Amino acid sequence: GERDEIEHRHAAWFLDLARRAQPELSGADQRQWLERLERAHDNLRAAMDRSVAEGDAATSIGLAFALWRFWQKRGHLYEARRRLDEIAGHDWSRRDPVLQARLLEALGGVAWWQGDIRTMRPAYANAVELWRGLGEKAELANALYNYSFVFTVPDTPGDDMRDVDPEGLGFRILEEALGLYHELGDERGEGNVLWGLGNKSYFSRAGDGGAEKFAQALERFRHVGDRTMEAWSLHMLGGAQVRLGQLDAAGDNLRHAIRHFWESGDASGVTLVLDDLSSLALARDELERAARLWGAARNLTNATGAALAGFVDGWIEQDVRPNVRKSLAPERLTELAQDGARLSLDEAVAYGLEIDVTDLAPHAEALESSS
């Protein structure tokens, strides 16, 4: 006769754990928190399964919202999408506007990482409208920032990037978000918007590809201690510098980015930087190295479900920066890419850094002490 009470206490305890972990997943201790959630993953799954079966929106959506970044960083995107789609299919998920908005934000984030822009678009748009109706300025600012991603890349592969946002709606959305963050005194939020503005320039191939905005965002993220967005700023700044032909600066920033992602246990982030490093190697006429890095990235894309890396590499970057698929015969590319695909995550990171895998940990520690 105690089963129901014990199960509810179990769910409440793990929901509390997920909520305590959530703000830590971008900070200096994120690797420890990611690993703690990984160890608790089966308990978290059990709590979510039961709460969905019971129609418990507060617990199931609370868990999904708190965990989606963990799922993304640790390569559980297939599971994340399945669970979010299941919850969204129930009428009870739409009864409370706050819970519904959080579910839509989680779904939009996972869809972005899967390169599924058609799903991301309405999810983020509806979240904006819900938060606007609720009058929550901080939540609205974040939702606007998320929504701006809809106006950076095409829904359909092969569409011209210059046709994505002809009316400049994405910029106006970011300007509204920036105004709200200024009003709130939120430096991290301002960094997000600066990063978003750089992102717009990068994908639209405008000006310096967003390099100046990424550098400004990097300063803010370092000041507030957001290690995740610090790594993202380094990744995007390095990518822009590859396009600009600033190869030495690009190499420095990309090596810092991949170390950050590796140190935090973020496999999805590592995948994207491997593609950056492949492009950098090709710009330096290191064709075989570029092909192995590209193969390692494709292998991690398949393993983690982070199809965003393939989306960017295959449909956006191929005509903008050096791409190894255009530089080697298909048979030779396949052979070298298979070499890269056989590398473990640690081996791939070490290869990207041009160090022995046994030296990887000391490099990460040195980075930690110097940042």
Side-chain angles (χ1 to χ4, degrees):
E2 298 175 336
R3 178 172 183 142
D4 288 348
E5 179 187 352
I6 291 171
E7 287 182 343
H8 289 151
R9 287 165 54 193
H10 175 275
W13 196 94
F14 281 97
L15 176 58
D16 180 67
L17 172 66
R19 284 175 171 165
R20 283 188 288 125
Q22 185 180 14
E24 306 293 340
L25 299 184
S26 61
D29 296 327
Q30 61 185 280
R31 188 182 188 109
Q32 292 93 318
W33 279 97
L34 287 167
E35 290 175 351
R36 185 174 182 182
L37 291 177
E38 194 74 66
R39 291 192 298 270
H41 203 180
D42 283 342
N43 277 297
L44 292 160
R45 287 168 170 140
M48 185 171 291
D49 288 341
R50 287 197 306 269
S51 63
V52 171
E54 295 171 359
D56 180 350
T59 300
S60 59
I61 294 175
L63 283 166
F65 180 69
L67 291 174
W68 86 262
R69 184 64 77 181
F70 156 72
W71 284 330
Q72 173 255 305
K73 290 189 173 189
R74 298 294 281 200
H76 299 299
L77 282 164
Y78 296 118
E79 176 177 352
R81 182 61 181 274
R82 175 179 61 78
R83 290 186 176 279
L84 291 167
D85 283 344
E86 180 184 8
I87 295 171
H90 291 287
D91 290 340
W92 48 258
S93 71
R94 295 181 289 279
R95 291 172 186 162
D96 182 310
V98 171
L99 292 175
Q100 184 185 7
R102 297 209 186 286
L103 176 62
L104 289 168
E105 289 181 351
L107 179 59
V110 169
W112 166 253
W113 272 94
Q114 292 184 314
D116 182 1
I117 311 305
R118 292 183 184 276
T119 296
M120 180 183 77
R121 181 183 295 275
Y124 278 160
N126 291 335
V128 166
E129 292 311 307
L130 286 165
W131 287 122
R132 198 183 293 282
L134 290 164
E136 295 280 354
K137 289 184 179 181
E139 298 288 1
L140 176 58
N142 181 65
L144 288 165
Y145 163 69
N146 289 336
Y147 188 37
S148 72
F149 282 70
V150 167
F151 302 95
T152 58
V153 295
D155 288 0
T156 304
D159 287 357
D160 193 322
M161 292 297 300
R162 290 163 290 190
D163 296 334
V164 171
D165 186 19
E167 298 178 359
L169 182 57
F171 285 111
R172 292 198 293 276
I173 287 169
L174 286 167
E175 287 171 359
E176 182 182 357
L178 187 59
L180 288 168
Y181 281 129
H182 275 311
E183 184 179 342
L184 294 165
D186 187 335
E187 186 176 2
R188 181 184 182 280
E190 291 177 10
N192 280 340
V193 175
L194 288 168
W195 191 91
L197 290 167
N199 211 36
K200 283 281 293 176
S201 296
Y202 184 89
F203 285 111
S204 64
R205 308 172 187 177
D208 66 353
E212 182 179 357
K213 295 297 185 187
F214 294 134
Q216 292 171 358
L218 178 61
E219 290 181 6
R220 282 168 172 77
F221 292 131
R222 281 179 167 162
H223 185 253
V224 300
D226 188 328
R227 294 296 296 274
T228 291
M229 288 307 298
E230 180 181 350
W232 268 92
S233 298
L234 289 163
H235 149 61
M236 294 300 292
L237 177 57
Q241 289 167 330
V242 171
R243 289 187 185 181
L244 295 170
Q246 300 170 1
L247 302 187
D248 289 343
D252 289 341
N253 287 319
L254 293 175
R255 283 188 292 272
H256 275 75
I258 201 168
R259 286 174 179 168
H260 274 313
F261 283 130
W262 178 83
E263 155 65 22
S264 64
D266 186 341
S268 298
V270 167
T271 304
L272 285 159
V273 183
L274 287 172
D275 273 326
D276 296 335
L277 290 169
S278 172
S279 183
L280 176 63
L282 190 60
R284 290 175 166 164
D285 295 321
E286 300 168 354
L287 271 66
E288 293 188 357
R289 174 176 169 77
R292 292 190 183 97
L293 288 165
W294 183 82
R298 299 289 69 74
N299 178 57
L300 282 174
T301 296
N302 293 332
T304 63
L308 177 63
F311 180 89
V312 172
D313 172 72
W315 303 332
I316 297 174
E317 296 280 30
Q318 61 177 334
D319 297 322
V320 182
R321 69 180 187 183
N323 191 297
V324 73
R325 287 176 300 172
K326 294 185 174 183
S327 304
L328 286 170
E331 299 82 5
R332 183 59 174 156
L333 175 60
T334 298
E335 178 185 352
L336 292 167
Q338 287 175 345
D339 288 345
R342 283 190 283 268
L343 297 173
S344 68
L345 176 64
D346 286 358
E347 289 169 341
V349 171
Y351 187 70
L353 291 170
E354 298 183 74
I355 62 175
D356 190 272
V357 70
T358 59
D359 296 327
L360 187 57
H363 274 259
E365 291 166 3
L367 176 68
E368 184 73 25
S369 64
S370 65
S371 295

